[in-house]
Amino acid sequence: MGVRTGRGGARLAYVAVAAGVVAALLGGCSVGVPDPAAPSSVPLTSGPGTPTITPGHDAGAVAARNMPFSAGATLAHGVPVGLSEDLAEAPQWKQVVSNAGGASRYQKSDGCQVAAEVRQNQWPLVAADDRESTAALFAYLDPTILPAYLKPASLRWGGERGKPGPAVDVLVLERSAKPTGQKAGRATAVLARVFGKAGSSVYVSASCPTAAALAAARADIAQWLTVVPPG
């Protein structure tokens, strides 16, 4: 599945977990975001060419608190978020791609696969708040994905691994594996968050042979994969 170029400009493609993940969740669409220079029906927010620190902004204080959707405006403008690669150290997991163009991929011994990406310059997706911006990301990938299909979830927001820490709100789209006897399918989930003020997005896709395996993978992701607050 390749990157497709539309009339409005080239899409910046995400790496798919596996061909079946995007096909099952997004109807075969490329997983990407608009070119920031392309026209968009989503309100645009202009940003500086390079990240800058907002005068008086306390990045440490922001990192020490939970990051619900309503707190997105507390981030400094244009200072990007990140993603840890700690899932590679979780039991039964191994990393197969390390931060290639902002994307990492992982495999588990039970057949589960995960792709985790962080993207910058996401201004074309920015809507009224981070929740709406995140829903806009899913709708951009597939217009048939309605906000009602997206469920709340959370990932780690900084902190020390193995210790309680702050959480960051995300939205998740999940599909169950097809019953035995039907055409083969995998249990899949996509977790995403757009940080409108920062101009960044994180996107985590998981694909597993069974619903039980997906639930275990989701627990591993929640424990080991950390969204890194802007410095």
Side-chain angles (χ1 to χ4, degrees):
M1 180 178 62
V3 180
R4 291 177 292 183
T5 301
R7 185 167 54 185
R11 296 187 179 183
L12 306 178
Y14 280 104
V15 177
V17 180
V21 179
V22 176
L25 284 173
L26 305 176
C29 294
S30 293
V31 184
V33 296
D35 186 327
S40 172
S41 59
V42 180
L44 301 181
T45 302
S46 61
T50 57
T52 58
I53 301 298
T54 302
H57 179 72
D58 191 340
V62 172
R65 297 190 294 264
N66 289 336
M67 180 50 59
F69 289 113
S70 60
T74 64
L75 297 174
H77 180 81
V79 182
V81 303
L83 270 176
S84 76
E85 297 184 287
D86 291 345
L87 186 60
E89 301 178 28
Q92 302 181 55
W93 287 92
K94 66 178 181 180
Q95 189 174 47
V96 293
V97 175
S98 175
N99 195 25
S104 296
R105 298 179 65 182
Y106 308 88
Q107 291 182 350
K108 193 177 181 182
S109 58
D110 64 359
C112 288
Q113 298 174 307
V114 165
E117 294 208 32
V118 59
R119 291 285 179 175
Q120 315 305 338
N121 298 319
Q122 303 292 274
W123 311 112
L125 294 172
V126 176
D129 60 28
D130 281 5
R131 186 183 185 97
E132 291 185 32
S133 299
T134 304
L137 169 59
F138 281 98
Y140 176 80
L141 302 177
D142 183 348
T144 67
I145 299 176
L146 303 178
Y149 300 164
L150 307 174
K151 305 303 179 184
S154 65
L155 294 171
R156 291 183 61 86
W157 175 247
E160 295 183 46
R161 195 178 69 205
K163 297 182 179 180
V168 54
D169 283 353
V170 298
L171 292 178
V172 58
L173 178 69
E174 187 169 334
R175 297 282 172 84
S176 300
K178 294 181 180 179
T180 303
Q182 295 188 16
K183 186 177 179 180
R186 292 167 66 87
T188 53
V190 174
L191 301 91
R193 167 75 181 258
V194 174
F195 300 87
K197 191 73 175 290
S200 300
S201 66
V202 296
Y203 181 96
V204 181
S205 299
S207 170
C208 294
T210 66
L214 178 64
R218 288 277 305 274
D220 290 339
I221 291 168
Q223 179 180 352
W224 293 84
L225 196 63
T226 300
V227 181
V228 181

